[in-house]
Amino acid sequence: MSSLLKITALCTLSTLALAGCTTHTLSNIDTSKTKPIKMVHVHQVSAQGVGQKIGTILMHDSPEGLVIRTDLRGLPSGERGFHVHENHSCEPAMKDGKMAAAMAAGGHLNSNQAPNHGTPMTGHLGDLPALKVAANGTAKVKLIAPRLTLADVQGRSIMIHAGGDNYADTPQPLGGGGERIACGVS
């Protein structure tokens, strides 16, 4: 009888222990503290249209500003101009009488009415830190746009230019970034 009593006691303790256990499902997780994240698919662009996908950009708000994480490939190595443009399009459009890559994106986002192109702290709101592309054509970097939020870039385009950006309007306008080579819409 003592073994039956031991088995009964063991079963009772097991039942009590299991009753105190809980499982966590997605419905148990407090999502009110998670940050909204925006993913932008980036494509090559040319005067003929939007081409092959070359990666993604993830963005989310932080106390320091908009955090931008790039995972891109197939770009020319070196420093590239990187901007938020005013329109939600990467399509070609006319410029100086001929079709040009991603011109439907419009100009740099300039809702703050800055008189000149400049640094991410002084120029147009769309002036982002330069994108540094590795020798193998990849750009896996984290950048901060201190004056932007996710709401500011919603319905806009993110542009990568062929050249670097000197954050000035001289010797060439808009930092000398030149042609638009890659674009994504938010």
Side-chain angles (χ1 to χ4, degrees):
M1 185 170 232
S2 74
S3 14
L4 182 58
L5 190 54
K6 288 179 185 176
I7 291 173
T8 304
L10 183 59
C11 288
T12 303
L13 285 173
S14 297
T15 303
L16 289 172
L18 289 174
C21 294
T22 61
T23 58
H24 293 281
T25 63
L26 289 178
S27 61
N28 296 91
I29 297 172
D30 180 7
T31 57
S32 66
K33 295 184 178 159
T34 59
K35 298 175 188 165
I37 296 174
K38 177 71 177 175
M39 178 184 284
V40 175
H41 298 276
V42 179
H43 296 263
Q44 294 174 332
V45 292
S46 71
Q48 290 72 45
V50 177
Q52 172 182 327
K53 181 180 169 186
I54 62 166
T56 57
I57 296 172
L58 295 176
M59 298 180 285
H60 68 84
D61 289 325
S62 79
E64 292 79 31
L66 183 67
V67 176
I68 302 167
R69 294 180 187 273
T70 66
D71 186 5
L72 304 167
R73 63 191 174 289
L75 293 167
S77 64
E79 194 170 278
R80 306 279 146 240
F82 193 38
H83 306 100
V84 176
H85 283 243
E86 59 192 352
N87 300 328
H88 182 79
S89 178
C90 292
E91 295 297 324
M94 296 295 281
K95 179 183 179 185
D96 300 328
K98 62 182 182 177
M99 292 300 279
M103 289 307 293
H108 295 175
L109 175 63
N110 190 20
S111 53
N112 62 329
Q113 303 301 310
N116 299 304
H117 172 68
T119 72
M121 293 300 292
T122 64
H124 306 141
L125 281 179
D127 293 335
L128 299 175
L131 181 66
K132 293 186 182 1
V133 180
N136 66 0
T138 62
K140 294 183 181 207
V141 298
K142 174 185 168 185
L143 305 166
I144 306 252
R147 298 182 300 159
L148 288 174
T149 67
L150 213 55
D152 295 325
V153 299
Q154 186 64 35
R156 310 288 182 188
S157 56
I158 310 297
M159 194 69 63
I160 301 169
H161 294 266
D165 190 338
N166 70 0
Y167 300 111
D169 286 321
T170 58
Q172 295 180 337
L174 301 173
E179 290 183 37
R180 300 166 184 203
I181 60 170
C183 180
V185 293
S186 60

